[in-house]
Amino acid sequence: MSIGAKNLSKGARELIAFRIGDQEFCVNIMIVREIRGWTKATPMPHSPHYMMGVINLRGAVLPIIDLSLRLGMKPAEPNPRHVIIVVQIGEKIVGLLVDAVSDILSITDDNIQPIPEVSAEFVRAFARGIIAVEGRMICLLELDALVQGNESEAA
Amino acid sequence: MDMNEIKEIFFQECEEQLAELESGLLKMNDGDRDPETVNAVFRAVHSIKGGAGAFGLDDLVAFAHVFETTLDCVRSNKLDPGPEVLKTMLKSADVLADLTAASRDGGTVDPSRTSVLVKELEALANGQVPAPTAEAPAPAPAPKAAAPAPKPAAAAATPKPTDESGFQPVPFSFDDFGGEEAEPAAIEIPLCDVIFKPRPELYSKGNEATLLLRDLSRIGEMSIYCDMDALPPLDQMDPEGAYFFWKIAIRTEKGEEGVRSVFEFAEWDCDLEVKVHEVSAEGSDEDELPMQPVPFDLSALDDTDEDHDHHEDHGDHHQEDIAAAIEAAKVATAVVSMAAAAPQAAPVQAAAVNKPAAPAPAAAGNAESSGSAGANPTIRVDLDRVDRLINLVGELVINQAMLSQSVIANETSGATTINTGLEELQQLTREIQDSVMAIRAQPVKPVFQRMSRIVREVADMVGKSVRLVTEGENTEVDKTVIDKLAEPLTHMIRNAVDHGLEMPEKREALGKNPEGTVKLSAKHRSGRIVIELSDDGAGINREKVRQKAIDNDLITSETNLSDEEIDNLIFHPGFSTADKITDVSGRGVGMDVVKRSIQALGGRINISSRPGQGSTFTMSLPLTLAVLDGMVVTVAGQTLVVPLTAIVETLQPEASAIHSFGASQRLISIRDSFCPLVDVGRILNFRSAQANPTDGVALLVESESGGQRALMVDAIQGQRQVVIKSLEANYTHVPGIAAATILGDGRVALILDVDAVVAASRGQALGGDGALAAAS
């Protein structure tokens, strides 16, 4: 668990929920820098398949990750309705391509249920819990492994 | 301004002066006998001495003084600056630099080094100077006499009687600083010409010229002259006006800074020109100084009523003063003692009122002073701030390009004002970008200059005679790169002199010039800076390197290595071929440290060596924040930027020029030579099959390693200057890609790493290729 999550574990925490396909996920709102519309990315040679390329974020070169592919689901077919959630992970800033932002949740640790044991790869790497909200199931993601994964794979 | 700040400025100036000194001496070493060069060298030492005197840095003053004395002999053609003389002088420059550094950082300099050089310098000076004495070099006392010397010229220029005896320089004690120096009288103190022109505001704010002048008199010995030419007839005079200005020649150890600080609170309300004269033994300076000396009695000034309410009635004062002055002028001689007349500057005015018919030398002196009002002022700025500015300007450029494109897209026919405005905006943004970039990019010159000292020192230590040739020192590269370049370069220079070059006798026996040459050059290439260090020594002794590597268990005796591989062994940690460990190098930490520091900068280092002819180290470093001239090309639907410097020529291949070579290779014949064809799209994995060469354009590129390749791209879009953006900041290094940039449409385009692509085409995999394939 990240330091940020630990600090917040005492009381309520705020999460941003977003949709990929028919599933919902959420991340800690503290790591989200901004949310912006989809712009076409410049593909990069010799990059992992989920790396969509880079875009210009006010002068900085921002890599865009197809989160759907990264989580082992089918590749996104980006259209102008897709959004990019810009998150800060450690020193680096990356953009996550998702279908739409759905909600901002304010929950306490009691609301987070443990993850049932399944064999999906993404569960081990990113999933940290499950939250039930009004009959919906939202999966809490921890993205630290996203950037570290990049480094070890590309190095 | 407190003392430490001033001191800090002094040391900064010292650095500049030392650089000036060294480059001047090196020029002289190359045979430059231009008096200006000699003067520049002399000035540099002199300024350091002057400043050091003001701060009581006795060691520095003493050494600079001896140095200056010898230089003066050169300047006055009493001493011919031959190679031996210059050698001593260069060494002295080094010691002077060390002394300066020691004064700043509180260290000490080996006194024996200093005293040896002092003796050498004195010997040089005495050898030629008539009637030399041991400790008092001839030129030293002369400048002192020069201080009151403005007389003759001024007297000739004015009809005034100005009896020479009327000149009484104000004595001033220098006990505060350097009082305990053995021979303070021999220390020349810089002469400043000050022109002080109060504006009416100065008086209306309650400032008083007299008080300022009195303050000025406290920092040095001065003579003062009041110019009254601007004084209108009484009936036209504005009582609130300011009509006089003063010309002051002051000999002060505080230099220009000290003079300016006197006027610190009045500088907005007056025109102040301060010019520091170099002190010369002859009266040449004074010829240009139409100064009419007026005795200036300090005690009289001190008597002036300080509490006088000046800003209420100063106008009246002026009128009274002038009336009195005119009265006085009728009867008095031109030179009136300050004490004789009651208030303020009246007597001084009187002296001038009397000579309206005199040719006004004021203008000449004025123009002369204003011409050299001071060096370029500089400020120190946090690098982060500059970077932020650079980023913002980069954004501005992109935004402006986007705006232009959307205006064109919307076809605002007839709206010429919009188009004109946009064009102006484009020009402005380009100018802003250029100026901002210029802030961060710095020439490599300072580092190169430091190297010449290293060469001298090492050559001296190992008893070789070495000449350093530098080239392209004005090549600009990012400040951080420059800062980190010094250390690896130092190592390499030491190695080149210590290991690379042979001893002079051996060189002679080999038919070489006994003086070895080390060449250091910098140039831009493929969006990188390439620094080359070559020597004309023996080259790498491959047998010895190989044997050493075997001894050190780096390789086994069976290992079969190419010449290139053997050469590269010297970059291996813990490798040194020096037979004996010397002071200079040979500790075995040299070249691998060099390689690591170059790599840490994102650079590469190569060595090429030819036995008997020397070795060349080639370092290629990124220019990080610099801009790049690039050719924008299309490859498999993607826009790429190819650094223009790498491109030799572009051509449209014809089918007949393409020849298959083996299974997958193709060669293109260009004027009867064959060059491998490289499909960029294929190398970067943008497409799976090779494109048809005749559909595209071939860019003939030359890589750093020298090989030529024809890079196939689909189309050329144009040439553009692009801002280099780091990919590593948020992502990671991408093989085959040097960096990214943002084009006019706001999209990111990748900058091709030509060298990596060429290397990949030779069969070396692009770094990380295999790992990536496994990950996907």
Side-chain angles (χ1 to χ4, degrees):
Chain A
M1 193 172 267
S2 75
I3 293 157
K6 247 183 245 162
N7 288 344
L8 280 165
S9 64
K10 288 172 200 125
R13 62 166 89 179
E14 288 204 292
L15 304 167
I16 267 198
F18 50 87
R19 222 163 28 74
I20 299 174
D22 54 359
Q23 301 186 28
E24 271 193 275
F25 299 89
C26 61
V27 293
N28 191 333
I29 205 164
M30 298 309 287
I31 67 164
V32 177
R33 298 279 297 266
E34 66 181 279
I35 294 167
R36 50 173 295 145
W38 161 250
T39 41
K40 203 165 180 304
T42 303
M44 277 188 297
H46 306 288
S47 57
H49 65 300
Y50 54 80
M51 185 58 67
M52 304 202 65
V54 286
I55 64 163
N56 163 27
L57 180 77
R58 287 187 302 283
V61 176
L62 182 75
I64 304 296
I65 291 169
D66 181 347
L67 197 57
S68 173
L69 255 182
R70 188 70 190 94
L71 299 180
M73 299 182 284
K74 65 177 188 344
E77 283 159 23
N79 63 45
R81 286 197 301 276
H82 277 73
V83 293
I84 290 169
I85 301 178
V86 181
V87 295
Q88 171 128 31
I89 301 168
E91 294 284 292
K92 302 199 169 178
I93 298 173
V94 296
L96 307 174
L97 180 76
V98 300
D99 287 3
V101 170
S102 53
D103 215 347
I104 292 177
L105 310 170
S106 186
I107 58 157
T108 60
D109 280 356
D110 306 342
N111 300 113
I112 303 173
Q113 305 171 17
I115 303 161
E117 276 186 36
V118 290
S119 68
E121 178 258 339
F122 91 87
V123 171
R124 267 176 286 123
F126 305 112
R128 290 292 171 268
I130 292 173
I131 302 154
V133 180
E134 296 157 5
R136 290 181 292 160
M137 185 195 85
I138 301 172
C139 175
L140 174 64
L141 297 179
E142 169 82 53
L143 297 174
D144 289 1
L146 209 59
V147 163
Q148 288 155 12
N150 272 342
E151 276 168 349
S152 65
E153 274 156 354
Chain B
M1 226 193 281
D2 71 292
M3 202 59 173
N4 281 338
E5 258 175 81
I6 300 174
K7 217 167 175 174
E8 189 52 41
I9 292 170
F10 162 66
F11 283 122
Q12 272 174 21
E13 283 171 357
C14 274
E15 299 260 308
E16 285 158 26
Q17 301 290 2
L18 286 167
E20 185 87 351
L21 167 66
E22 183 160 358
S23 71
L25 285 174
L26 288 173
K27 258 195 236 165
M28 286 165 71
N29 209 12
D30 290 340
D32 188 340
R33 291 289 178 276
D34 186 354
E36 242 334 285
T37 314
V38 183
N39 277 334
V41 167
F42 182 84
R43 264 199 305 272
V45 177
H46 181 76
S47 312
I48 292 171
K49 190 181 87 171
F55 291 106
L57 305 169
D58 299 347
D59 290 352
L60 195 51
V61 173
F63 186 78
H65 176 68
V66 180
F67 194 2
E68 186 183 18
T69 306
T70 313
L71 277 171
D72 196 55
C73 294
V74 175
R75 201 167 65 144
S76 50
N77 291 327
K78 287 179 201 144
L79 177 63
D80 180 52
E84 280 313 305
V85 173
L86 279 164
K87 203 172 160 192
T88 309
M89 296 217 162
L90 281 164
K91 270 196 261 173
S92 310
D94 293 345
V95 168
L96 194 63
D98 288 345
L99 282 167
T100 312
S103 310
R104 175 175 46 201
D105 308 328
T108 51
V109 174
D110 181 8
S112 64
R113 248 178 97 205
T114 320
S115 58
V116 165
L117 272 174
V118 165
K119 288 219 177 67
E120 279 183 41
L121 285 170
E122 273 168 359
L124 284 176
N126 291 340
Q128 310 288 329
V129 177
T133 52
E135 260 309 308
K144 195 183 154 236
K151 280 175 288 178
T158 57
K160 301 297 276 341
T162 321
D163 52 328
E164 306 218 343
S165 60
F167 181 77
Q168 313 160 349
V170 177
F172 190 74
S173 158
F174 289 101
D175 286 342
D176 295 358
F177 19 80
E180 50 297 303
E181 268 163 39
E183 22 146 77
I187 306 297
E188 295 137 44
I189 301 156
L191 178 69
C192 289
D193 278 352
V194 183
I195 295 186
F196 168 51
K197 271 189 211 177
R199 299 197 202 111
E201 296 91 311
L202 181 102
Y203 297 108
S204 65
K205 284 184 188 167
N207 271 317
E208 178 51 60
T210 319
L211 297 178
L212 289 168
L213 292 172
R214 187 178 61 189
D215 282 349
L216 188 63
S217 73
R218 288 192 174 133
I219 65 167
E221 205 172 305
M222 71 178 200
S223 59
I224 186 167
Y225 162 74
C226 176
D227 189 299
M228 306 173 63
D229 288 352
L231 186 71
L234 210 54
D235 52 336
Q236 290 166 26
M237 196 167 71
D238 175 7
E240 308 268 334
Y243 295 107
F244 302 147
F245 68 89
W246 286 268
K247 287 200 258 175
I248 305 121
I250 181 161
R251 191 163 289 278
T252 170
E253 297 202 21
K254 302 205 178 200
E256 182 176 340
E257 230 74 43
V259 172
R260 286 198 181 273
S261 68
V262 169
F263 294 97
E264 201 169 19
F265 299 107
E267 62 177 310
W268 308 109
D269 300 315
C270 68
D271 296 314
L272 186 67
E273 282 165 16
V274 183
K275 186 184 166 204
V276 182
H277 266 262
E278 66 176 86
V279 180
S280 63
E282 291 80 33
S284 60
D285 283 338
E286 282 71 43
D287 291 342
E288 304 156 9
L289 251 186
M291 193 68 70
Q292 184 184 4
V294 169
F296 191 87
D297 189 338
L298 195 62
S299 61
L301 276 179
D302 277 332
D303 290 338
T304 317
D305 182 9
E306 264 194 272
D307 298 322
H308 206 85
D309 193 3
H310 295 296
H311 67 148
E312 280 301 312
D313 54 6
H314 61 87
D316 300 337
H317 261 304
H318 277 274
Q319 277 172 332
E320 286 165 17
D321 293 348
I322 289 156
I326 291 165
E327 206 55 274
K330 285 180 188 152
V331 290
T333 57
V335 182
V336 183
S337 160
M338 196 63 164
Q344 303 159 339
V348 191
Q349 293 153 6
V353 156
N354 211 7
K355 51 148 231 162
N366 206 354
E368 193 223 9
S369 305
S370 61
S372 53
N376 287 343
T378 53
I379 52 163
R380 279 180 294 169
V381 183
D382 201 12
L383 261 186
D384 281 349
R385 293 193 192 185
V386 178
D387 286 351
R388 220 179 310 152
L389 188 61
I390 286 176
N391 275 335
L392 284 173
V393 172
E395 271 307 283
L396 183 67
V397 171
I398 293 154
N399 253 318
Q400 174 267 322
M402 284 158 80
L403 190 61
S404 304
Q405 283 194 352
S406 60
V407 166
I408 292 164
N410 287 332
E411 191 57 65
T412 52
S413 53
T416 47
T417 45
I418 293 185
N419 288 328
T420 324
L422 271 177
E423 267 165 38
E424 277 168 16
L425 180 66
Q426 185 175 357
Q427 235 163 15
L428 280 174
T429 40
R430 176 52 59 99
E431 266 173 44
I432 295 176
Q433 190 182 21
D434 287 350
S435 346
V436 169
M437 285 299 163
I439 298 177
R440 239 205 109 121
Q442 304 272 317
V444 291
K445 197 173 180 183
V447 177
F448 277 24
Q449 265 183 354
R450 247 188 285 172
M451 292 310 131
S452 69
R453 170 172 185 180
I454 307 274
V455 167
R456 277 199 303 279
E457 282 183 353
V458 177
D460 232 35
M461 225 181 278
V462 297
K464 292 176 186 173
S465 149
V466 185
R467 180 184 164 79
L468 178 75
V469 181
T470 55
E471 226 172 64
E473 7 177 67
N474 289 323
T475 311
E476 292 199 338
V477 64
D478 193 89
K479 176 100 177 49
T480 39
V481 176
I482 293 184
D483 293 346
K484 290 185 177 153
L485 207 56
E487 200 201 314
L489 265 187
T490 308
H491 266 300
M492 291 167 69
I493 292 258
R494 289 181 164 195
N495 268 323
V497 177
D498 193 17
H499 302 312
L501 297 173
E502 312 94 330
M503 296 304 286
E505 309 83 60
K506 197 174 167 197
R507 288 181 67 90
E508 226 160 1
L510 288 167
K512 288 182 180 178
N513 184 347
E515 187 184 50
T517 304
V518 173
K519 195 174 150 194
L520 190 57
S521 76
K523 60 179 176 250
H524 281 149
R525 189 163 199 177
S526 304
R528 298 168 80 85
I529 182 169
V530 176
I531 294 178
E532 236 177 51
L533 174 71
S534 55
D535 63 67
D536 64 347
I540 285 182
N541 185 341
R542 299 206 171 98
E543 260 321 295
K544 206 161 141 194
V545 168
R546 199 183 143 81
Q547 192 51 50
K548 197 91 176 183
I550 294 169
D551 293 349
N552 289 2
D553 289 334
L554 301 177
I555 54 169
T556 64
S557 52
E558 291 92 54
T559 323
N560 199 5
L561 293 173
S562 69
D563 286 353
E564 204 179 328
E565 283 168 320
I566 294 175
D567 291 349
N568 277 300
L569 277 175
I570 62 161
F571 291 117
H572 205 284
F575 191 92
S576 179
T577 54
D579 288 328
K580 50 183 189 288
I581 306 274
T582 63
D583 261 359
V584 183
S585 54
R587 281 174 294 255
V589 290
M591 294 315 286
D592 67 304
V593 171
V594 168
K595 188 171 187 176
R596 256 184 287 140
S597 24
I598 297 289
Q599 278 174 343
L601 278 171
R604 289 184 282 259
I605 182 162
N606 282 313
I607 177 170
S608 69
S609 174
R610 285 163 71 188
Q613 294 182 28
S615 2
T616 302
F617 291 91
T618 311
M619 282 164 287
S620 131
L621 295 155
L623 295 168
T624 42
L625 276 156
V627 286
L628 177 96
D629 275 312
M631 188 169 280
V632 184
V633 299
T634 313
V635 176
Q638 296 301 323
T639 302
L640 286 177
V641 178
V642 184
L644 209 54
T645 42
I647 299 175
V648 181
E649 64 176 286
T650 62
L651 44 115
Q652 192 99 46
E654 287 171 23
S656 60
I658 312 287
H659 308 276
S660 288
F661 187 63
S664 60
Q665 291 290 320
R666 279 172 300 177
L667 302 182
I668 182 168
S669 66
I670 300 164
R671 291 183 285 278
D672 288 337
S673 69
F674 293 92
C675 178
L677 205 56
V678 179
D679 184 355
V680 176
R682 185 72 202 92
I683 288 262
L684 295 181
N685 239 346
F686 281 161
R687 55 180 160 227
S688 48
Q690 297 242 15
N692 181 3
T694 52
D695 292 345
V697 183
L699 310 176
L700 192 65
V701 297
E702 194 161 297
S703 80
E704 227 165 81
S705 37
Q708 283 200 342
R709 288 288 186 279
L711 298 187
M712 285 302 312
V713 299
D714 297 351
I716 291 175
Q717 292 180 18
Q719 274 181 26
R720 205 165 303 171
Q721 199 178 48
V722 297
V723 184
I724 298 175
K725 296 277 178 183
S726 156
L727 268 179
E728 281 90 342
N730 286 320
Y731 189 47
T732 165
H733 176 69
V734 181
I737 300 299
T741 186
I742 293 165
L743 293 181
D745 58 2
R747 291 198 50 194
V748 178
L750 302 175
I751 301 174
L752 201 67
D753 184 345
V754 172
D755 287 318
V757 167
V758 169
S761 74
R762 284 206 185 118
Q764 301 163 18
L766 282 176
D769 218 351
L772 279 175
S776 49

